[in-house]
Amino acid sequence: MKSGQTILAAALTTLIVFGGLKLAGIGGAGTTLVSDQPAFDRVTKTRTIRCAYATWAPYITVDPNTKKLSGFAYDIFEQVGKILNMKVEWTEEIPWSQVADNLKTGRNDVMCNTVWPSGNRALPLDFTMAIDYIPAYAFVRADDTRFDGNLTAINDPGVTVAVIDGDFSQAIPSEDYPSAKQLSLSMDSDGAQLLLAVTTKKADVTFVDPFMAFEFAKHNPGTIKQVANAQAVRVFGDSYAVDKGETKLRDTINLALEQLNQSGFIRQTLDKYLGEHKGMYFYPAQPYEK
């Protein structure tokens, strides 16, 4: 009888310890154990928002010497924390391809660099209101005039489009120019690598935001140009992301963002970081504006 009680006690102790580790997010080697508690409940209990982020100028950048973060997405979310009277912890930089899994497993509460909402991202993520809207244009080599005023010419088997797997740059040609070939780059690539694929003649055209293109051109003058006489192929809202179903957390952040929009803080912060490029982004209207 005593032996049976000892075994039972040991089993209960193991369950209690394991449960504590699970809630703490600690596991054995090669194991990721996370809390089953919703992110909203964790945030309201701890008064802390744990942020994952990815670097992409001018949204968020990291000083290579001090490791300090900066950028308009960083400053705006820091102000969200102040409005909500919560601490913001910038816990880890992650690849864009890991955003959904990171939030789903509870490693972090919010993706605090903005994400462009899209159909495939809507399945695993929910999005806040947009802090701004950014157009995407077609870019080619500086001496290429094939698509000027006629983007439909891209829809040709002889044309290669540089894309990032799972990214908007892939969605655009897949939907609009299905006959074109695609040069696929890994999910962890960025806009500069798309443009580099064009300048090195691995691809003929790609789709990026104007800030990325003009920053690339600044360091690589005379290599690329925006396709002439062609409108934006897409306009995306820059939104923060939470795990699918975390509507309470999303709505709480939205209230803070709406307050920052109405106070003018969002526009002022965007102006600060965009500088000469600020006309390339579209700002959200105030609710009382027509």
Side-chain angles (χ1 to χ4, degrees), residues 15-55:
L15 287 172
I16 292 170
V17 171
F18 179 80
L21 291 175
K22 186 173 188 293
L23 289 173
I26 301 171
T31 304
T32 301
L33 298 173
V34 297
S35 173
D36 293 327
Q37 189 178 37
F40 178 78
D41 293 348
R42 292 196 304 268
V43 165
T44 53
K45 181 178 181 179
T46 63
R47 307 301 299 175
T48 300
I49 301 174
R50 296 171 303 150
C51 279
Y53 63 93
T55 54

Side-chain angles (χ1 to χ4, degrees), residues 31-86:
T31 304
T32 301
L33 298 173
V34 297
S35 173
D36 293 327
Q37 189 178 37
F40 178 78
D41 293 348
R42 292 196 304 268
V43 165
T44 53
K45 181 178 181 179
T46 63
R47 307 301 299 175
T48 300
I49 301 174
R50 296 171 303 150
C51 279
Y53 63 93
T55 54
W56 188 294
Y59 297 84
I60 294 180
T61 58
V62 182
D63 186 290
N65 298 315
T66 65
K67 305 304 179 184
K68 179 176 174 56
L69 302 180
S70 62
F72 69 76
Y74 172 83
D75 285 4
I76 290 171
F77 205 85
E78 279 284 301
Q79 199 67 17
V80 166
K82 291 178 182 178
I83 287 177
L84 297 177
N85 193 27
M86 292 184 178

Side-chain angles (χ1 to χ4, degrees), residues 15-242:
L15 287 172
I16 292 170
V17 171
F18 179 80
L21 291 175
K22 186 173 188 293
L23 289 173
I26 301 171
T31 304
T32 301
L33 298 173
V34 297
S35 173
D36 293 327
Q37 189 178 37
F40 178 78
D41 293 348
R42 292 196 304 268
V43 165
T44 53
K45 181 178 181 179
T46 63
R47 307 301 299 175
T48 300
I49 301 174
R50 296 171 303 150
C51 279
Y53 63 93
T55 54
W56 188 294
Y59 297 84
I60 294 180
T61 58
V62 182
D63 186 290
N65 298 315
T66 65
K67 305 304 179 184
K68 179 176 174 56
L69 302 180
S70 62
F72 69 76
Y74 172 83
D75 285 4
I76 290 171
F77 205 85
E78 279 284 301
Q79 199 67 17
V80 166
K82 291 178 182 178
I83 287 177
L84 297 177
N85 193 27
M86 292 184 178
K87 179 181 178 182
V88 178
E89 287 186 353
W90 299 85
T91 58
E92 60 181 325
E93 181 177 356
I94 63 172
W96 293 102
S97 58
Q98 294 180 13
V99 172
D101 285 344
N102 183 284
L103 298 178
K104 183 176 181 62
T105 57
R107 285 182 62 89
N108 290 285
D109 306 309
V110 182
M111 178 57 178
C112 296
N113 197 348
T114 54
V115 181
W116 293 357
S118 62
N120 62 321
R121 290 171 176 167
L123 295 176
L125 299 170
D126 279 326
F127 299 92
T128 67
M129 62 172 279
I131 61 173
D132 66 84
Y133 296 87
I134 182 168
Y137 295 95
F139 286 85
V140 295
R141 288 183 292 278
D143 59 353
D144 193 342
T145 60
R146 286 176 291 170
F147 314 120
D148 288 359
N150 182 24
L151 290 180
T152 58
I154 296 173
N155 195 35
D156 187 292
V159 174
T160 300
V161 184
V163 305
I164 295 174
D165 290 337
D167 183 60
F168 81 94
S169 61
Q170 185 177 55
I172 292 170
S174 296
E175 295 171 7
D176 297 358
Y177 316 110
S179 295
K181 296 177 183 176
Q182 295 185 9
L183 173 69
S184 296
L185 306 182
S186 72
M187 289 183 178
D188 299 330
S189 302
D190 61 19
Q193 290 168 291
L194 289 174
L195 294 166
L196 185 62
V198 172
T199 61
T200 56
K201 298 187 177 182
K202 295 178 181 177
D204 301 299
V205 60
T206 193
F207 304 97
V208 297
D209 67 87
F211 185 94
M212 173 61 67
F214 293 143
E215 285 298 303
F216 182 90
K218 184 187 297 184
H219 296 94
N220 304 274
T223 58
I224 63 165
K225 70 168 187 176
Q226 181 179 323
V227 173
N229 302 316
Q231 296 183 341
V233 290
R234 295 288 189 280
V235 177
F236 295 96
D238 277 325
S239 303
Y240 298 103
V242 298

